[in-house]
Amino acid sequence: MKKRLAGIIGMMLVTVCALSGCSGKSEKTEEVSENFKKIVDEYAVITLRKDGESALIDKAYAAVSEYLEHPGPEQLEVTAQVVKDSYDQLYDQYEQMEDYQMPEDISEVIEDYGIYYEDFMLYATEEKSEIADYIQNLLNLYEYIGYEATDLPMTKAMTFHFNMADQMQQIQRKYMYTSVNFWFAGCSEAEVAYVQEAVTDKFVSFISDGHEWDNDQKNVEDRLNAYLDEMADMRLEWDIYLGEREAELNSSNQ
């Protein structure tokens, strides 16, 4: 029996392992099959690249945070350059990214391991839209940074925007780390060890929420849904703020 979980920014789907475990149609053993390794390795390429993209956002946000804590022309210049560098790298990746094609040797066996082909494809192909969201966030921050060097700074608005974006990023980092557990819940100890060695041990941005690896997929799903609820609440707060700002501008122009 297979399960699905929908969610995350950009409507990302994470795929899952069968309730019978990750060892295909055979019983669990301590031996990791070559087909399982191929699937995990392909997943690792995509996920570690996403982790690297998230790390560029971490770097930019850290610079903005430093400026807001210690404002000044020198720090402003440094912050602007860091944000621009992250933007340039992400934009280059966006421009160079080609349509994802799943290797044939993986597509032939992936559903034997309880993973929907369509879900894996969606997880891979939505990376480009996720980068586009990152780019837009950096553009917004860069615009605010530009105002800081003028006689009409928008520091209050910049601070609110940054705090919201940064909080969303922290939740996103935990969501992505936890989603690895969701994909491969129910695997044997040897399979989990392979996943951790190939994926989570190499993360530089995605972070653990403090929970140990959980073989109960429902528990992991509940944690992921809690993150989605947090992000939905924050988006609502952001929409309310934007509505209030628009009302203020309309009032002042009358």
Side-chain angles (χ1 to χ4, degrees):
M1 180 179 182
K2 300 175 183 177
K3 291 186 177 180
R4 296 174 182 246
L5 178 71
I8 209 169
I9 299 171
M11 299 301 293
M12 180 193 303
L13 282 176
V14 291
T15 52
V16 304
C17 294
L19 293 180
S20 58
C22 292
S23 300
K25 299 179 180 178
S26 61
E27 295 183 359
K28 293 182 185 178
T29 67
E30 286 306 303
E31 185 175 341
V32 181
S33 72
E34 289 304 311
N35 283 338
F36 179 79
K37 290 180 180 179
K38 287 179 182 179
I39 294 169
V40 173
D41 290 349
E42 184 70 6
Y43 170 78
V45 169
I46 299 165
T47 305
L48 292 176
R49 190 170 58 238
K50 292 187 178 191
D51 177 67
E53 292 151 6
S54 179
L56 290 173
I57 295 298
D58 294 339
K59 186 176 181 180
Y61 286 7
V64 175
S65 178
E66 183 67 20
Y67 170 73
L68 292 174
E69 291 179 10
H70 306 286
E74 291 185 4
Q75 184 58 48
L76 180 63
E77 184 177 350
V78 170
T79 298
Q81 187 60 54
V82 173
V83 171
K84 183 179 183 302
D85 288 345
S86 291
Y87 169 87
D88 288 343
Q89 291 182 63
L90 286 167
Y91 188 81
D92 286 345
Q93 287 181 226
Y94 181 87
E95 287 289 291
Q96 296 172 17
M97 186 168 290
E98 299 179 354
D99 292 340
Y100 176 74
Q101 299 291 331
M102 185 184 295
E104 186 175 348
D105 60 341
I106 293 177
S107 64
E108 291 173 348
V109 299
I110 192 168
E111 297 207 1
D112 293 341
Y113 290 82
I115 300 176
Y116 284 97
Y117 170 85
E118 293 83 1
D119 286 356
F120 194 99
M121 288 294 296
L122 184 58
Y123 177 73
T125 57
E126 285 198 340
E127 181 182 0
K128 192 165 187 176
S129 66
E130 293 158 14
I131 295 176
D133 288 339
Y134 282 148
I135 288 172
Q136 186 59 57
N137 283 336
L138 292 178
L139 281 174
N140 291 339
L141 283 173
Y142 196 75
E143 183 177 359
Y144 282 122
I145 290 170
Y147 280 108
E148 290 296 295
T150 72
D151 294 332
L152 297 172
M154 301 176 65
T155 308
K156 183 178 179 181
M158 175 183 175
T159 301
F160 182 87
H161 177 91
F162 169 71
N163 286 339
M164 292 292 291
D166 186 52
Q167 289 177 59
M168 291 282 281
Q169 173 69 359
Q170 301 314 311
I171 299 170
Q172 170 85 348
R173 293 169 67 197
K174 293 178 183 179
Y175 185 104
M176 288 300 297
Y177 190 105
T178 305
S179 71
V180 181
N181 189 170
F182 184 83
W183 278 57
F184 299 104
C187 293
S188 70
E189 289 186 9
E191 289 168 335
V192 171
Y194 189 83
V195 171
Q196 292 173 332
E197 180 182 357
V199 186
T200 57
D201 288 351
K202 297 180 180 180
F203 283 158
V204 295
S205 179
F206 301 153
I207 54 175
S208 170
D209 58 8
H211 288 80
E212 298 293 331
W213 186 275
D214 196 334
N215 280 318
D216 187 331
Q217 195 175 68
K218 182 62 171 61
N219 290 341
V220 185
E221 182 179 356
D222 289 343
R223 281 156 53 197
L224 292 175
N225 284 332
Y227 288 138
L228 294 177
D229 289 343
E230 283 187 70
M231 288 190 279
D233 289 342
M234 293 187 67
R235 283 193 291 270
L236 177 59
E237 183 179 349
W238 178 241
D239 289 341
I240 292 173
Y241 173 81
L242 291 177
E244 291 174 346
R245 289 285 297 168
E246 184 176 358
E248 290 175 4
L249 289 173
N250 290 336
S251 176
S252 63
N253 290 332
Q254 290 178 355

